[in-house]
Amino acid sequence: MKAAVLVFPGSNREGDVAQAIELVTGRKPQMVWHGDGDFEKTDLIVVPGGFSYGDYLRCGAMAALSPVMAEVKKRAAQGVPVLAICNGFQIVTEAGLLPGTLMRNAHLKFVCSDVHLKVETSQSLFTNRYQAGQVIRVPVAHAEGNYFADQDTLKRLEDRGQIAFRYCAPDGTVDGTGNPNGSIRNIAGVFNETKTVMGLMPHPENAVEPMFGGSDGKALFEGLVEALT
Amino acid sequence: MKARVHVTLKNGVLDPQGKAIGHSLNRLGFPEVGDVRQGKFIELELDETDKAKAKARLDEMCRKLLANTVIENYSIELVG
Amino acid sequence: MKARVHVTLKNGVLDPQGKAIGHSLNRLGFPEVGDVRQGKFIELELDETDKAKAKARLDEMCRKLLANTVIENYSIELVG
Amino acid sequence: MSGNGVSVEKNPPVKLPNEPVITPQIVAEHGLSPEEYQRVLAIMGRTPTMVELGIFSAMWSEHCSYKSSKVWLKKLPTKAPWVIQGPGENAGVIDIGDGQAAIFKMESHNHPSYIEPYQGAATGVGGILRDVFTMGARPIANLNALRFGDPAHPKTRHLVSGVVAGIGGYGNCMGIPTVGGETNFHAAYNGNILVNAMTVGIAPTDRIFYAAAAGVGNPLVYVGSKTGRDGIHGATMASTEFSEDSEEKRPTVQVGDPFVEKLLLEACLELMATDVIVAIQDMGAAGLTSSSFEMAAKGGLGVIVELDKVPMRETGMNPYELMLSESQERMLIVLKPGTEEQARKIFEKWELDFAVIGHLTDTERMVLSWHGDIVGNIPIPPLVTEAPVYERPWTLTPLPAVLDAASVPVPKDWRASLLALMSCPDLASKSWIWHQYDHLIMGNTAIRPQDGDAALVRVNGGHKGLAMTSDCTPRYVQAHPETGGRQAVAEAWRNITAVGARPLAVTDNMNFGNPQKPEIMGQFAGAIMGMAEACKVLDFPVVSGNVSLYNETEGRPILPTPTIGAVGVIEDIAKAVGSRLTQAGLGIVLIGETQGWLGQSLYLREACGREEGAPPPVDLAVERRNGDFVRSQIALDRVEACHDLSDGGLLVALAEMAIAGGTGMEIAQPAGNVVPSHAFFYGEDQGRYVIASGSADDVIEAAHAAGVPAVLLGYSGGASLVVRDLLSLPLSDIKAAHEAWLPGYMSATE
Ligand SMILES: Nc1ncnc2c1ncn2[C@@H]1O[C@H](COP(=O)(O)OP(=O)(O)O)[C@@H](O)[C@H]1O
Ligand SMILES: [Mg+2]
């Protein structure tokens, strides 16, 4: 699997995701600078976490207008898979690749913590190594992860199976207790209609080694490798 | 020329900051405070003398960057 | 009664957000944009009919919570 | 401008329009005593200009000159075979093997954080990060040591919330994990909180960058953010007569821009990978003044600074303001000649300002020019050699009488006493704080906050780990500074040891009151003596540090707080242990001797409302012997969990281990042990650890062979903490009490 990881001024988890990809594929991904609208063809595009442009104005707003994102939109339309994590999720919603938006956490504070996620479907490139209903533990680290969409959008997302992950309690119960940010309907990650673009707030790339935060995130990358090679 | 832009959340869009502010004010001894909404206020210096042109350009800036029109409204004011 | 509060950075205080916005606008094809400053705009519903009283209370709210008077100025407007 | 400044040297500076006449009042407002001003006149041979006066004032301030502390700091041991760079550079550097160096330092931002907690703390983090990456290191972790006033004080909540948000806001955006720290509350900090921030970075040993300038004619380059009127201190009044725009006549708080600092970090590291840098220095306190001055002084050279070339954020700025501004996110670099364009390209790629603002000369003078006029001209060596150094009078704090355990009441209700301790502000969980810090970014955090005595971070690309901690017990230092100084170092050493790592070196942050009072100077002297002795015996040199004096309000000083930051190394990170008790059936072994020391203990303060007695003595030989033993047992894989005993004593440590790992235990005071039970369980004797082991017998046998006291207390298991004859408490109750205090406090009003 050939992967490209985008780098914006202020990105800071690009190294973490590159490390995770290398761990799983044995191969370093290509790092693509935000001004590069013409990067090499790859099997997967990753929009990483961080504080692109300092998260000033609105998280992801300035990065969404970069030359590289114009190219990502084109390729996503052609079906190239896009994995957008945390700030990446914010960037792709700003760019219109995914519906909804990520508001300030309800408690207004940054939160870095392990959370539990319920896998909503195994029917996607990103989640094929998980079982629907499975509970995994991965960390979050963000101040704006409070997913919001209007009722029509939410209905559409749910009807079409576009919810990827929901926050839950360790036993899998989906209620407010496991929700770290006030996200509507406990949504932690969503797909586009074709399930080739996935955005999520949690960091599977920081859960790929047992000694360093657990390894429940590894299957996401392994599943991608399986689907894309 | 100077411009002032207000960006506010559309009705019906959740405003966690506004809500938290309202809540804090109530607790700090301001029970008279009801709904609170927080928006952005952006002041720009423009190297442009034609008002109509400035307005059109600002409108474009708002749509492109300053506001996310899926969830936000904006208004533009020209000063001096 | 409704109130509108503007909170802005004092002159001379660095405004990282404003700077980044100005920079972005320039890059996006708006070279006419010079200095940009970002502030907050807060709208509050008040259960109070006396204007003078409302103003005094709002002033207190600003000093206590809404503005950080070490680096920010605020202004209060009453509407309706 | 002439090439080497020889001709300009003789020209008297030009007066600027509106330049005020220097009066005794202006001198005083610059913090210079009349004698110090006489020295200025002697060095200059004439009346200085305002900008020159400002430079003397900044360079001779306590902050930059260490005039009260210098004579004492010299007593700290700073050498060891693994020390590459001790105090004197931007940060300390130690060799951690495999061609890698750890670069680290701690620094205070106390006063700014009290004035504006968010920005004060944020810029504190920004400053310490720059100190570390200036030397070529990529920062891999941050820590922060915080002291706040009484929780009941009306300002405390606001300060906690702002400081924590500011530290998180800066570190999170930079993408550096904040992995540890400490947080205490005491009324003595009501008017003077302490915010001490520490950064640890890694660099190849053959690519470390220093501040000493070299090469006459080499260009002096300014990079980073533009200069504004931020933080021009006591100098407010000077700007009053001086500035053109009357609106600007107020002190300004420095605002940090972590986004720009992130770009600056990446740009500097990119530049450092090329071969163009001669010297580099961040602009911290006293900004352009101290950075240009130090670079030239260290290199034995002179410098010409063309101030009108400095990138400016505001209009109407004058030389005085430019030299004294403390705008953040700026660096000064001496480049190899002819490499300016190569360097410029890198900074432009990262969208940062880049300007050649002068060059080095052989005159040993600092010459300032402003639109072609010379506005300042100072000889550099005398400003350093003639800088005031004070041997301030000092009186040592006498050792208080030892408190007899028999005079301290036994708890009426053991459960209530333990819950009270576990939920008191100093011992309550600080998870409300560290959950606001990204402690996981970079994917190398092996021991997170609260999971071990030291944080443990993997060094990229290998199996090696760095253990780091920050420690100080101010109430001990207050009671007896020598003992307290010794204890702070010993506890840091112990915390590194408790995760299995080898302690290597120390950075310190000396926070004290007004040094002009003999008793405060005595606290400083005592603490240094204790620290020096501990560092010597434990082979734990001090490689960097910071001093913050005058932390007092209306004559009320803070508790003397010599914060110790420490770093250690473990070759194989998989061998490290945390303090969480996660398995049943393990033997719980107490290492070290327990006499039952209740003087200055938290039990005495929290349960009995008394702050008295002598603090627990620290026997450094015993400390070393016990620690070396514990480390050896961890290396032998005999230890599943380990926790040092400190605040709150044995029972608190056991409760912490149990709730962190979700496994209870049943223990008892060993038969025949005659220490009164409250002193046994709550005493704060030093040099002790608790370990959980699957081979407790082997551990105890080995301990006895090594002459180390070790005794089996009981076994892990169940969901309660059970102490025979004394208490049985469900872990859920302890955890609830421990976790609830800080969030509850922070969400309450009034
Ligand atoms: N301000 C802080 N920032 C980050 N971590 C903190 C802070 N305060 C406390 N902690 C963490 O909480 C835990 C308990 O702190 P403390 O009681 O001081 O530990 P110890 O007594 O073992 O040195 C430690 O892991 C420490 O790193
Ligand atoms: Mg400890």
Side-chain angles (χ1 to χ4, degrees), chain D residues 308-329:
Chain D
D308 44 288
K309 303 234 170 102
V310 171
M312 289 170 237
R313 197 171 81 220
E314 296 174 52
T315 53
M317 291 191 69
N318 61 43
Y320 181 96
E321 292 168 327
L322 288 165
M323 284 307 286
L324 294 176
S325 161
E326 294 193 345
S327 286
Q328 301 290 297
E329 293 94 21

PDB file of all heavy atoms in Angstrom, chain D residues 308-329:
ATOM      1  N   ASP D 308      17.012  49.636  12.800  1.00  0.00           N
ATOM      2  CA  ASP D 308      15.915  49.922  11.866  1.00  0.00           C
ATOM      3  C   ASP D 308      15.618  48.742  10.952  1.00  0.00           C
ATOM      4  O   ASP D 308      14.578  48.701  10.302  1.00  0.00           O
ATOM      5  CB  ASP D 308      16.262  51.166  11.035  1.00  0.00           C
ATOM      6  CG  ASP D 308      17.679  51.149  10.531  1.00  0.00           C
ATOM      7  OD1 ASP D 308      18.612  51.330  11.358  1.00  0.00           O
ATOM      8  OD2 ASP D 308      17.863  50.916   9.337  1.00  0.00           O
ATOM      9  N   LYS D 309      16.507  47.736  10.936  1.00  0.00           N
ATOM     10  CA  LYS D 309      16.275  46.554  10.095  1.00  0.00           C
ATOM     11  C   LYS D 309      15.460  45.481  10.819  1.00  0.00           C
ATOM     12  O   LYS D 309      15.074  44.472  10.219  1.00  0.00           O
ATOM     13  CB  LYS D 309      17.618  45.955   9.672  1.00  0.00           C
ATOM     14  CG  LYS D 309      18.516  46.924   8.934  1.00  0.00           C
ATOM     15  CD  LYS D 309      18.959  46.347   7.600  1.00  0.00           C
ATOM     16  CE  LYS D 309      19.650  47.388   6.748  1.00  0.00           C
ATOM     17  NZ  LYS D 309      21.118  47.220   6.776  1.00  0.00           N
ATOM     18  N   VAL D 310      15.255  45.668  12.117  1.00  0.00           N
ATOM     19  CA  VAL D 310      14.493  44.670  12.880  1.00  0.00           C
ATOM     20  C   VAL D 310      13.041  44.661  12.400  1.00  0.00           C
ATOM     21  O   VAL D 310      12.425  45.719  12.293  1.00  0.00           O
ATOM     22  CB  VAL D 310      14.546  45.005  14.391  1.00  0.00           C
ATOM     23  CG1 VAL D 310      13.586  44.133  15.180  1.00  0.00           C
ATOM     24  CG2 VAL D 310      15.962  44.857  14.920  1.00  0.00           C
ATOM     25  N   PRO D 311      12.498  43.483  12.080  1.00  0.00           N
ATOM     26  CA  PRO D 311      11.092  43.443  11.676  1.00  0.00           C
ATOM     27  C   PRO D 311      10.192  43.940  12.811  1.00  0.00           C
ATOM     28  O   PRO D 311      10.281  43.458  13.933  1.00  0.00           O
ATOM     29  CB  PRO D 311      10.838  41.956  11.399  1.00  0.00           C
ATOM     30  CG  PRO D 311      12.193  41.386  11.126  1.00  0.00           C
ATOM     31  CD  PRO D 311      13.139  42.173  11.983  1.00  0.00           C
ATOM     32  N   MET D 312       9.350  44.933  12.510  1.00  0.00           N
ATOM     33  CA  MET D 312       8.536  45.560  13.563  1.00  0.00           C
ATOM     34  C   MET D 312       7.059  45.329  13.327  1.00  0.00           C
ATOM     35  O   MET D 312       6.596  45.370  12.211  1.00  0.00           O
ATOM     36  CB  MET D 312       8.803  47.065  13.618  1.00  0.00           C
ATOM     37  CG  MET D 312      10.166  47.379  14.180  1.00  0.00           C
ATOM     38  SD  MET D 312      10.580  49.124  13.975  1.00  0.00           S
ATOM     39  CE  MET D 312      12.092  49.001  13.064  1.00  0.00           C
ATOM     40  N   ARG D 313       6.362  45.086  14.419  1.00  0.00           N
ATOM     41  CA  ARG D 313       4.930  44.823  14.347  1.00  0.00           C
ATOM     42  C   ARG D 313       4.118  46.098  14.407  1.00  0.00           C
ATOM     43  O   ARG D 313       2.994  46.153  13.953  1.00  0.00           O
ATOM     44  CB  ARG D 313       4.565  43.921  15.520  1.00  0.00           C
ATOM     45  CG  ARG D 313       3.244  43.238  15.390  1.00  0.00           C
ATOM     46  CD  ARG D 313       3.075  42.215  16.490  1.00  0.00           C
ATOM     47  NE  ARG D 313       2.645  42.825  17.730  1.00  0.00           N
ATOM     48  CZ  ARG D 313       3.099  42.468  18.934  1.00  0.00           C
ATOM     49  NH1 ARG D 313       4.018  41.535  19.053  1.00  0.00           N
ATOM     50  NH2 ARG D 313       2.656  43.060  20.019  1.00  0.00           N
ATOM     51  N   GLU D 314       4.696  47.125  15.059  1.00  0.00           N
ATOM     52  CA  GLU D 314       3.946  48.355  15.266  1.00  0.00           C
ATOM     53  C   GLU D 314       4.707  49.525  14.684  1.00  0.00           C
ATOM     54  O   GLU D 314       5.922  49.464  14.531  1.00  0.00           O
ATOM     55  CB  GLU D 314       3.739  48.582  16.768  1.00  0.00           C
ATOM     56  CG  GLU D 314       2.899  47.505  17.406  1.00  0.00           C
ATOM     57  CD  GLU D 314       2.835  47.677  18.904  1.00  0.00           C
ATOM     58  OE1 GLU D 314       2.508  48.787  19.358  1.00  0.00           O
ATOM     59  OE2 GLU D 314       3.127  46.713  19.625  1.00  0.00           O
ATOM     60  N   THR D 315       3.972  50.585  14.424  1.00  0.00           N
ATOM     61  CA  THR D 315       4.653  51.762  13.909  1.00  0.00           C
ATOM     62  C   THR D 315       5.173  52.593  15.078  1.00  0.00           C
ATOM     63  O   THR D 315       4.695  52.482  16.204  1.00  0.00           O
ATOM     64  CB  THR D 315       3.687  52.639  13.087  1.00  0.00           C
ATOM     65  OG1 THR D 315       2.543  52.893  13.900  1.00  0.00           O
ATOM     66  CG2 THR D 315       3.260  51.925  11.821  1.00  0.00           C
ATOM     67  N   GLY D 316       6.171  53.415  14.780  1.00  0.00           N
ATOM     68  CA  GLY D 316       6.665  54.355  15.779  1.00  0.00           C
ATOM     69  C   GLY D 316       7.518  53.739  16.849  1.00  0.00           C
ATOM     70  O   GLY D 316       7.724  54.331  17.903  1.00  0.00           O
ATOM     71  N   MET D 317       8.011  52.529  16.649  1.00  0.00           N
ATOM     72  CA  MET D 317       8.857  51.932  17.690  1.00  0.00           C
ATOM     73  C   MET D 317      10.236  52.592  17.675  1.00  0.00           C
ATOM     74  O   MET D 317      10.739  52.982  16.624  1.00  0.00           O
ATOM     75  CB  MET D 317       8.980  50.428  17.470  1.00  0.00           C
ATOM     76  CG  MET D 317       7.657  49.721  17.732  1.00  0.00           C
ATOM     77  SD  MET D 317       7.808  47.932  17.809  1.00  0.00           S
ATOM     78  CE  MET D 317       8.723  47.710  19.333  1.00  0.00           C
ATOM     79  N   ASN D 318      10.831  52.715  18.860  1.00  0.00           N
ATOM     80  CA  ASN D 318      12.134  53.359  18.945  1.00  0.00           C
ATOM     81  C   ASN D 318      13.202  52.361  19.408  1.00  0.00           C
ATOM     82  O   ASN D 318      12.877  51.241  19.809  1.00  0.00           O
ATOM     83  CB  ASN D 318      12.041  54.568  19.880  1.00  0.00           C
ATOM     84  CG  ASN D 318      11.647  54.151  21.286  1.00  0.00           C
ATOM     85  OD1 ASN D 318      12.159  53.169  21.810  1.00  0.00           O
ATOM     86  ND2 ASN D 318      10.724  54.888  21.889  1.00  0.00           N
ATOM     87  N   PRO D 319      14.467  52.730  19.339  1.00  0.00           N
ATOM     88  CA  PRO D 319      15.554  51.810  19.694  1.00  0.00           C
ATOM     89  C   PRO D 319      15.405  51.220  21.095  1.00  0.00           C
ATOM     90  O   PRO D 319      15.665  50.038  21.309  1.00  0.00           O
ATOM     91  CB  PRO D 319      16.803  52.688  19.604  1.00  0.00           C
ATOM     92  CG  PRO D 319      16.469  53.708  18.585  1.00  0.00           C
ATOM     93  CD  PRO D 319      15.002  54.002  18.795  1.00  0.00           C
ATOM     94  N   TYR D 320      14.973  52.049  22.032  1.00  0.00           N
ATOM     95  CA  TYR D 320      14.805  51.577  23.400  1.00  0.00           C
ATOM     96  C   TYR D 320      13.835  50.397  23.435  1.00  0.00           C
ATOM     97  O   TYR D 320      14.098  49.355  24.020  1.00  0.00           O
ATOM     98  CB  TYR D 320      14.277  52.734  24.251  1.00  0.00           C
ATOM     99  CG  TYR D 320      14.083  52.417  25.704  1.00  0.00           C
ATOM    100  CD1 TYR D 320      15.068  52.718  26.635  1.00  0.00           C
ATOM    101  CD2 TYR D 320      12.911  51.823  26.151  1.00  0.00           C
ATOM    102  CE1 TYR D 320      14.897  52.427  27.974  1.00  0.00           C
ATOM    103  CE2 TYR D 320      12.722  51.518  27.488  1.00  0.00           C
ATOM    104  CZ  TYR D 320      13.715  51.826  28.400  1.00  0.00           C
ATOM    105  OH  TYR D 320      13.544  51.529  29.716  1.00  0.00           O
ATOM    106  N   GLU D 321      12.700  50.598  22.785  1.00  0.00           N
ATOM    107  CA  GLU D 321      11.684  49.542  22.791  1.00  0.00           C
ATOM    108  C   GLU D 321      12.169  48.304  22.048  1.00  0.00           C
ATOM    109  O   GLU D 321      11.927  47.178  22.469  1.00  0.00           O
ATOM    110  CB  GLU D 321      10.394  50.068  22.147  1.00  0.00           C
ATOM    111  CG  GLU D 321       9.718  51.133  22.995  1.00  0.00           C
ATOM    112  CD  GLU D 321       8.617  51.859  22.250  1.00  0.00           C
ATOM    113  OE1 GLU D 321       8.744  52.037  21.010  1.00  0.00           O
ATOM    114  OE2 GLU D 321       7.634  52.255  22.884  1.00  0.00           O
ATOM    115  N   LEU D 322      12.863  48.509  20.951  1.00  0.00           N
ATOM    116  CA  LEU D 322      13.326  47.366  20.165  1.00  0.00           C
ATOM    117  C   LEU D 322      14.333  46.524  20.948  1.00  0.00           C
ATOM    118  O   LEU D 322      14.319  45.302  20.902  1.00  0.00           O
ATOM    119  CB  LEU D 322      13.968  47.849  18.857  1.00  0.00           C
ATOM    120  CG  LEU D 322      12.940  48.373  17.857  1.00  0.00           C
ATOM    121  CD1 LEU D 322      13.631  49.164  16.748  1.00  0.00           C
ATOM    122  CD2 LEU D 322      12.127  47.227  17.273  1.00  0.00           C
ATOM    123  N   MET D 323      15.208  47.204  21.688  1.00  0.00           N
ATOM    124  CA  MET D 323      16.222  46.460  22.437  1.00  0.00           C
ATOM    125  C   MET D 323      15.627  45.739  23.638  1.00  0.00           C
ATOM    126  O   MET D 323      16.170  44.737  24.095  1.00  0.00           O
ATOM    127  CB  MET D 323      17.342  47.399  22.910  1.00  0.00           C
ATOM    128  CG  MET D 323      18.317  47.821  21.825  1.00  0.00           C
ATOM    129  SD  MET D 323      19.051  46.443  20.909  1.00  0.00           S
ATOM    130  CE  MET D 323      20.222  45.785  22.105  1.00  0.00           C
ATOM    131  N   LEU D 324      14.532  46.257  24.193  1.00  0.00           N
ATOM    132  CA  LEU D 324      14.015  45.694  25.439  1.00  0.00           C
ATOM    133  C   LEU D 324      12.730  44.884  25.286  1.00  0.00           C
ATOM    134  O   LEU D 324      12.269  44.262  26.234  1.00  0.00           O
ATOM    135  CB  LEU D 324      13.808  46.800  26.475  1.00  0.00           C
ATOM    136  CG  LEU D 324      15.130  47.437  26.909  1.00  0.00           C
ATOM    137  CD1 LEU D 324      14.896  48.590  27.844  1.00  0.00           C
ATOM    138  CD2 LEU D 324      16.042  46.406  27.568  1.00  0.00           C
ATOM    139  N   SER D 325      12.164  44.886  24.099  1.00  0.00           N
ATOM    140  CA  SER D 325      10.927  44.133  23.904  1.00  0.00           C
ATOM    141  C   SER D 325      11.133  42.665  24.201  1.00  0.00           C
ATOM    142  O   SER D 325      12.203  42.108  23.937  1.00  0.00           O
ATOM    143  CB  SER D 325      10.464  44.283  22.450  1.00  0.00           C
ATOM    144  OG  SER D 325       9.558  43.247  22.142  1.00  0.00           O
ATOM    145  N   GLU D 326      10.091  42.057  24.775  1.00  0.00           N
ATOM    146  CA  GLU D 326      10.143  40.613  25.009  1.00  0.00           C
ATOM    147  C   GLU D 326       9.132  39.898  24.147  1.00  0.00           C
ATOM    148  O   GLU D 326       8.523  38.912  24.555  1.00  0.00           O
ATOM    149  CB  GLU D 326       9.963  40.317  26.496  1.00  0.00           C
ATOM    150  CG  GLU D 326      11.138  40.839  27.307  1.00  0.00           C
ATOM    151  CD  GLU D 326      11.188  40.317  28.738  1.00  0.00           C
ATOM    152  OE1 GLU D 326      10.185  39.765  29.218  1.00  0.00           O
ATOM    153  OE2 GLU D 326      12.250  40.478  29.366  1.00  0.00           O
ATOM    154  N   SER D 327       8.931  40.389  22.950  1.00  0.00           N
ATOM    155  CA  SER D 327       8.062  39.678  22.009  1.00  0.00           C
ATOM    156  C   SER D 327       8.563  38.248  21.880  1.00  0.00           C
ATOM    157  O   SER D 327       9.765  37.996  21.923  1.00  0.00           O
ATOM    158  CB  SER D 327       8.108  40.350  20.633  1.00  0.00           C
ATOM    159  OG  SER D 327       7.396  41.550  20.660  1.00  0.00           O
ATOM    160  N   GLN D 328       7.612  37.342  21.722  1.00  0.00           N
ATOM    161  CA  GLN D 328       7.938  35.920  21.734  1.00  0.00           C
ATOM    162  C   GLN D 328       8.286  35.405  20.339  1.00  0.00           C
ATOM    163  O   GLN D 328       8.126  36.105  19.346  1.00  0.00           O
ATOM    164  CB  GLN D 328       6.733  35.146  22.280  1.00  0.00           C
ATOM    165  CG  GLN D 328       6.349  35.563  23.678  1.00  0.00           C
ATOM    166  CD  GLN D 328       7.354  35.125  24.691  1.00  0.00           C
ATOM    167  OE1 GLN D 328       7.574  33.940  24.879  1.00  0.00           O
ATOM    168  NE2 GLN D 328       7.994  36.076  25.358  1.00  0.00           N
ATOM    169  N   GLU D 329       8.745  34.153  20.331  1.00  0.00           N
ATOM    170  CA  GLU D 329       8.960  33.414  19.083  1.00  0.00           C
ATOM    171  C   GLU D 329       9.978  34.094  18.156  1.00  0.00           C
ATOM    172  O   GLU D 329       9.736  34.255  16.955  1.00  0.00           O
ATOM    173  CB  GLU D 329       7.616  33.187  18.356  1.00  0.00           C
ATOM    174  CG  GLU D 329       6.670  32.251  19.094  1.00  0.00           C
ATOM    175  CD  GLU D 329       5.661  32.965  20.001  1.00  0.00           C
ATOM    176  OE1 GLU D 329       5.397  34.148  19.792  1.00  0.00           O
ATOM    177  OE2 GLU D 329       5.154  32.313  20.931  1.00  0.00           O
TER     178      GLU D 329
END
